Every structure is written in C-alpha cells, then in structure tokens.
Amino acid sequence: MKYTTLAAAALLIIGGSYLSAKATLFDSSDNITVETYSDIFFKLESSPVNIDEIITGASQFANSLCDESIYQEVIGESVNSCKQKFKQSQAQCADFITKNSQAMYTDKVAITLVSEKFINCMTNS
C-alpha cells in the first residue's frame, strides 16, 4: 500500500511538473542541461539522454519528494529521515544504476523505469 501510494503520487508530481515546465518553455531544446526531472523529457525531444542526466533529474525529483512534509507524513516518514536516506544512499544507488543500465536512452518508458529503480533504491535503503 505504501509503495502504491508512493507510485501514484510520484506519477502525479512527474506529470504535473512536466506539463508545468513544458508550458513555460520557449527556448530550443537542442542545448538543454538536465537539472530537473522534466528536463530529461524536454531534452529527449531533440536528442538522446545519458544515464548521468537521468540520475541528475531523478535525484532532483526524489529530493523534492523529501521536501513534501504532508506526503512524508502520509507514508510514515519525516522530511529529515527522507533527506537522511537520500544523502546516505544516493552515491551507492547512482553507482548501481550506472553499472546496470544503458549509457544512452531514447525511450520515455525506459527512462521512467530507470528513474523509478533509482528512486526506489534511494527510498528503500
């Protein structure tokens, strides 16, 4: 139940942040630097995305989930415990994902699955 709620909330936040950022994007997507989760998908519109960019975007997304105090309360965590898990597991999870994934991605579904694996690794550590 906890993970179903997490997945549902994550999808809502991902979709909302993607649409929100898409609505305000007026630049060319040729030279997008991935800093947020939604940047991954903007860049994907014009070029492949590498695993490091996916990790960067997914890290930002996971960190933003930690900042949602009501969400953390619903899943039985706190902002501080979430951030502590994030900090302790980020490097190890990034290493695991890098070793067990492709170097480049062109498919939204594959990117979403890799992002979910990375976020799950960080939240289940």
Side-chain angles (χ1 to χ4, degrees):
M1 178 72 172
K2 176 179 174 180
Y3 300 110
T4 304
T5 304
L6 175 64
L11 289 175
L12 288 173
I13 293 170
I14 290 168
S17 66
Y18 176 77
L19 293 174
S20 172
K22 184 70 175 169
T24 60
L25 183 68
F26 296 104
D27 274 338
S28 168
S29 60
D30 292 339
N31 295 320
I32 290 180
T33 301
V34 174
E35 296 175 356
T36 67
Y37 188 74
S38 60
D39 289 344
I40 295 168
F41 298 99
F42 295 135
K43 182 171 184 178
L44 187 61
E45 291 177 9
S46 64
S47 64
V49 178
N50 69 49
I51 190 65
D52 291 332
E53 292 170 318
I54 295 171
I55 290 170
T56 297
S59 292
Q60 177 275 327
F61 177 73
N63 197 32
S64 70
L65 285 177
C66 283
D67 289 332
E68 296 291 331
S69 60
I70 294 172
Y71 174 71
Q72 293 302 320
E73 185 179 323
V74 167
I75 64 170
E77 296 284 341
S78 69
V79 169
N80 289 337
S81 67
C82 181
K83 287 196 177 273
Q84 186 174 20
K85 278 184 187 178
F86 179 88
K87 185 178 179 180
Q88 291 173 344
S89 62
Q90 184 178 18
Q92 180 182 6
C93 293
D95 187 47
F96 172 78
I97 292 297
T98 301
K99 288 180 182 176
N100 294 291
S101 300
Q102 300 170 192
M104 300 297 287
Y105 286 85
T106 58
D107 180 68
K108 289 179 183 179
V109 173
I111 289 170
T112 302
L113 292 173
V114 170
S115 298
E116 286 177 5
K117 280 184 191 176
F118 179 68
I119 291 169
N120 284 338
C121 177
M122 291 194 310
T123 58
N124 292 323
S125 295

